[in-house]
Amino acid sequence: MCGIFGYWDRRQQALPEEALRAMAQTLVHRGPDDEGIRHQPPRGVALGNRRLSIIDIGGGHQPFVSDDGRITVVQNGEIFNHVELAAELRAQGVRLDTHSDTEVILRLYERDGMACLKKLNGMFAIAIYDAREDALYLARDRIGVKPLYVFDDGQRMVFGSEIKALWPALGGQRRGMDLEAIHHYLTFNYIPAPWTAFDGVRHLMPGTWHKYTRGTHVHTERWWRLADQQEQDFGFDAWSEEFMALLDDATRIRLRADVPFGAFLSGGVDSSTIVGLMARHVKEPVKTFCIGFEDPRYDESAYALQAAQRFGCNHTREVAELNMLQRWPMVLHHLDQPHGDASFMPTLRVSELAAHHVKVVLTGDGGDELFAGYDKYAQFFARPDALALPPSGFARSYFDSISLFSPDAKSALYRPAVRKLLDGIDSFNAAAKPWFDEARHFDRVNQALYLDMQLLLSGNNLVKPDRMGMAVSIEARTPFLDWHMMEFAFRSRGDTKLSAGGDKKHWFKRAAAPLIGEDLAYRKKQMFTVPVGDWFKGELHGWLRNTLQGSDVINRLFEPAAVAALLDQHRDGSANFTRELRALAALALWDQGSASGGPAA
């Protein structure tokens, strides 16, 4: 796990060395162990890396450079099948000098070009400069586990693993706010890729690579599509066998590390299954980590302890303060963008706990989106018209059911000048409809899940373990998002995931029960969050009102009376605007921290 950064200047004008060093400095938390930069000023190109040393501690220094010096490679992430790929290369007579997965990328690229991406099983963002073509390539993993941001003004392109890494290359100046991105944020509670909160800064799409040459055209290629799967009929026994075999293998290869590793364990079906599979493949007890709360409404730690005892884990639990709002500015600093999801705060807290013991954790992320684990799926498909609606009506109805602010609510919130600027920009058409169009051959349940795989995961739910883990220099690995498992999930019918009676993770729980036990498999899902809505009614209402009413961005964009109405109705209990107010508060705190250049006090 690392942070990567660099630039490409079409005029072959060099970026100052001090700017590159400053870019590296913004990513030290992602890579505290090592730094490497290959700068070729006459060509106007540099690739850099800050390294968190996980595999081949001594030999994995980046960038990796080809024998003739013409190809340079840096990556952020891990290639979990690098052992098998290295064996394949050596069998063909290719020399490998290290055990680093990044050297494997270099040698595969020399052999296969960008087609090498299809052989990689991992999480990655990769930059390759090929002097033979005088071209720079940027690539991102299949589903967007690892981030990669780009700013390109037509003359110079700069890239980095986090948005803050771009600013030193732009003279230290942050870009202005992207109003359309904020418009989409109010719909989704996060900013969907490729938009970002900053004008001109874009998030490279998952499963995509870009080629930059001296011309202004950027060649873009989608190298993997989850929608290429076709649903199949499975009986439960065959489905269960394949499911458990795939997840076991995905877990096994994610245990490859030359440093201590462990797992986040909530006691839910996802993390319990991962820990149960980990225990099959290690000689020492699995190190597991959870945080608990004094308030039983939000405390899952008893279930985590039950799972830890079942699998003989070395379990670390810590009772955390329930009110974590003092962490919010720091969370938003690491995110670089507004996110309304309160669970980033406890995720940071459990990451801090784990970082005292390990450098790698496995997590259960992705299981809910692949196998219908959220209540929202059962609630939507309980509607009598959910399956009867025409395709366009279904897509819009599901989108409406997951939207934070509806189009009418956004319009009522905006000041007139802002409303005029955004007139005609529809978040459904811009961000959601293209994914529904790709997924039309799937059944309705899988269409809903496909949208969340493409938007919610890369836009929010994978940002969480990456940024919160990287904030304290630990790497999060996600076995459920192994590409074999993702493709299997979308070859599986929707009714294997959400039953006609509304049972979520329908076959998943049944398949995992022999491993984790009936109690853990079938216990009610509990969200990893904190009671922000209650605080916004009571003890923190004054803080919230002052934060919103004193915010530059809130006052620039929104009608004061509309914001006051949300506050008043939430406080008096006539409406529950927890999520809406949380999103506005995150926007205000992000703007405050962004304007000051760091986390707000």
Side-chain angles (χ1 to χ4, degrees), residues 380 383 385-386 389-403 428-429 432-437 440 444 447-448 451:
F380 179 81
R383 293 172 40 171
D385 63 346
L389 287 165
S392 60
F394 164 76
R396 189 83 205 203
S397 293
Y398 179 72
F399 169 83
D400 289 344
S401 76
I402 63 171
S403 294
F428 172 77
N429 287 328
K433 186 176 182 297
W435 300 117
F436 277 119
D437 289 345
R440 281 191 173 185
R444 292 286 169 89
Q447 287 180 42
L451 183 73

Side-chain angles (χ1 to χ4, degrees), residues 334-591:
H334 283 287
L335 296 175
D336 289 320
Q337 303 193 89
H339 283 257
D341 183 347
S343 67
F344 280 84
M345 288 176 270
T347 301
L348 176 60
R349 186 67 187 83
V350 74
S351 298
E352 291 170 339
L353 175 64
H356 292 298
H357 306 272
V358 298
K359 291 183 77 170
V360 173
V361 290
L362 273 63
T363 80
D365 291 292
D368 288 318
E369 293 82 2
L370 286 169
F371 297 105
Y374 296 127
D375 287 340
K376 66 179 182 179
Y377 303 128
Q379 291 164 358
F380 179 81
F381 284 99
R383 293 172 40 171
D385 63 346
L387 300 178
L389 287 165
S392 60
F394 164 76
R396 189 83 205 203
S397 293
Y398 179 72
F399 169 83
D400 289 344
S401 76
I402 63 171
S403 294
L404 182 60
F405 287 92
S406 70
D408 288 344
K410 288 195 290 187
S411 181
L413 191 62
Y414 291 141
R415 287 184 179 271
V418 175
R419 188 182 308 124
K420 184 176 181 180
L421 287 171
L422 293 169
D423 184 47
I425 299 177
D426 178 60
S427 293
F428 172 77
N429 287 328
K433 186 176 182 297
W435 300 117
F436 277 119
D437 289 345
E438 276 192 7
R440 281 191 173 185
H441 61 291
F442 291 138
D443 63 39
R444 292 286 169 89
V445 170
N446 276 330
Q447 287 180 42
L449 298 178
Y450 189 79
L451 183 73
D452 284 346
M453 289 293 295
Q454 302 298 341
L455 292 180
L456 179 61
L457 269 181
S458 67
N460 190 81
N461 289 2
L462 290 175
V463 178
K464 195 184 310 175
D466 177 79
R467 300 306 193 285
M468 297 303 94
M470 285 287 88
V472 294
S473 305
I474 63 170
E475 172 179 289
R477 299 177 173 183
T478 52
F480 280 104
L481 297 177
D482 186 285
W483 69 272
H484 298 98
M485 176 58 79
M486 291 190 289
E487 291 188 351
F488 168 76
F490 279 85
R491 293 196 306 272
S492 303
R493 301 184 316 271
D495 63 4
T496 68
K497 307 171 184 184
L498 183 68
S499 73
D503 184 39
K504 305 180 297 295
K505 290 183 180 167
H506 184 44
W507 280 8
F508 174 175
K509 294 184 294 188
R510 187 175 163 193
L515 174 67
I516 67 174
E518 299 279 332
D519 289 348
L520 291 173
Y522 289 100
R523 80 172 183 87
K524 181 176 173 57
K525 182 176 179 63
Q526 191 168 341
M527 299 302 288
F528 189 43
T529 190
V530 290
V532 175
D534 292 345
W535 300 336
F536 283 176
K537 283 184 180 181
E539 60 195 89
L540 292 178
H541 183 82
W543 170 87
L544 176 65
R545 189 176 289 269
N546 290 337
T547 297
L548 297 184
Q549 293 181 343
S551 165
D552 289 342
V553 70
I554 298 299
N555 287 317
R556 286 200 314 271
L557 298 183
F558 308 127
E559 288 282 7
V563 175
L566 292 175
L567 288 162
D568 292 342
Q569 291 173 46
H570 185 78
R571 181 177 59 179
D572 68 23
S574 59
N576 182 358
F577 288 125
T578 297
R579 297 179 69 239
E580 291 85 350
L581 290 169
R582 205 170 58 201
L584 296 182
L587 179 61
L589 292 172
W590 163 78
D591 181 65

Side-chain angles (χ1 to χ4, degrees), residues 174-218:
R174 288 165 169 76
R175 300 287 297 173
M177 187 175 68
D178 186 323
L179 189 59
E180 181 180 352
I182 302 304
H183 184 62
H184 298 322
Y185 168 70
L186 295 176
T187 294
F188 293 103
N189 208 28
Y190 57 88
I191 296 173
W195 294 273
T196 77
F198 297 96
D199 184 40
V201 177
R202 289 295 177 257
H203 205 173
L204 191 73
M205 293 298 285
T208 300
W209 59 261
H210 289 184
K211 180 181 181 180
Y212 297 86
T213 61
R214 299 299 173 185
T216 57
H217 173 71
V218 178

